[in-house]
Amino acid sequence: MTDITSAKAPAPAAADPLEDLARELLTEIGENPDRDGLRDTPRRYARWWREFTQYDPGTVDTTFESVSSGQTVIVSGMQVWSLCEHHLLPFTCTLAVAYRARNDILGLSKFARIAHKHAHRLQLQERLVADIADEIEKTVGSPDVAVVGSGEHLCMTMRGIRTGSLMTSSLLKGVFEKDGPERTELLALLQRVAR
Ligand code: ZN
């Protein structure tokens, strides 16, 4: 009886479907995936997609007991990168997040973690803003949350109409939603911190 374990060379590593896709893509656009500059591109492509979609933002729900009520907290100037789900092209979004604590306050870094968590998937800017607002509302247990995002979308800048522009979207909830002192204060503060 032949000893098949020693008679055969080890099986090649299972093909990575993402690398296969990259090779197909390169071929479809008229490139030779085996030319020098492209030889490692499928591997990088596969790694980048996994890096992006399996991003781990760390703990997002550490809260502290509020020391005073009646303060509006705004964390602004946070920039995240996401991918437009219509074109698979990147968009960058600068975010301002505001909330008024009822019982719990959120650690400062958690705003950025929450923003990255929802940016690292196929998105629309409007949904990104809404997802962040929902998660902050859930985490701090206060409905008074506002998120404003301003994004540049490569699907508009480098294709289609090819015009650089910023798209701004906002979601104002709780006391920020209707006319009142909190909304007035928020809008004035946002104007001060806007870049
Ligand atoms: Zn798009």
Side-chain angles (χ1 to χ4, degrees):
M1 205 169 145
T2 323
D3 179 5
I4 53 162
T5 51
S6 62
K8 284 193 177 166
D16 181 337
L18 276 177
E19 288 190 33
D20 291 347
L21 268 179
R23 288 181 63 85
E24 263 179 63
L25 177 71
L26 290 168
T27 308
E28 276 304 314
I29 62 171
E31 286 285 355
N32 170 13
D34 293 317
R35 76 172 167 84
D36 265 1
L38 296 180
R39 201 161 292 143
D40 284 334
T41 300
R43 188 177 49 77
R44 292 191 199 98
Y45 176 90
R47 194 169 59 199
W48 126 250
W49 272 103
R50 295 206 167 88
E51 242 172 54
F52 182 75
T53 56
Q54 297 169 9
Y55 173 83
D56 175 11
T59 324
V60 296
D61 57 355
T62 313
T63 55
F64 307 96
E65 206 175 311
S66 178
V67 284
S68 76
S69 57
Q71 278 191 44
T72 295
V73 171
I74 302 183
V75 181
S76 61
M78 290 184 293
Q79 195 197 21
V80 297
W81 284 91
S82 187
L83 273 184
C84 151
E85 70 180 15
H86 294 152
H87 301 96
L88 300 186
L89 283 173
F91 67 92
T92 176
C93 192
T94 303
L95 293 152
V97 174
Y99 79 109
R100 283 173 79 85
R102 297 270 170 109
N103 301 303
D104 294 327
I105 57 172
L106 193 57
L108 204 50
S109 72
K110 304 301 183 278
F111 292 93
R113 290 184 197 279
I114 289 172
H116 282 296
K117 174 180 166 184
H118 294 286
H120 277 254
R121 48 170 292 207
L122 302 188
Q123 267 294 13
L124 299 171
Q125 185 177 314
E126 294 89 332
R127 193 173 61 218
L128 173 63
V129 161
D131 286 350
I132 295 169
D134 286 349
E135 176 129 18
I136 291 187
E137 180 178 352
K138 207 172 61 195
T139 309
V140 297
S142 165
D144 307 328
V145 174
V147 179
V148 181
S150 219
E152 179 176 5
H153 295 244
L154 290 198
C155 58
M156 177 163 170
T157 306
M158 68 178 282
R159 61 159 287 289
I161 193 74
R162 293 197 184 93
T163 306
S165 64
L166 277 181
M167 197 266 261
T168 297
S169 52
S170 68
L171 187 59
L172 276 55
K173 304 174 87 168
V175 290
F176 299 129
E177 197 183 345
K178 298 213 173 72
D179 276 340
E182 292 87 358
R183 181 185 170 95
T184 306
E185 182 199 15
L186 173 75
L187 297 180
L189 287 171
L190 283 174
Q191 230 168 17
R192 281 180 60 150
V193 299
R195 301 198 306 171

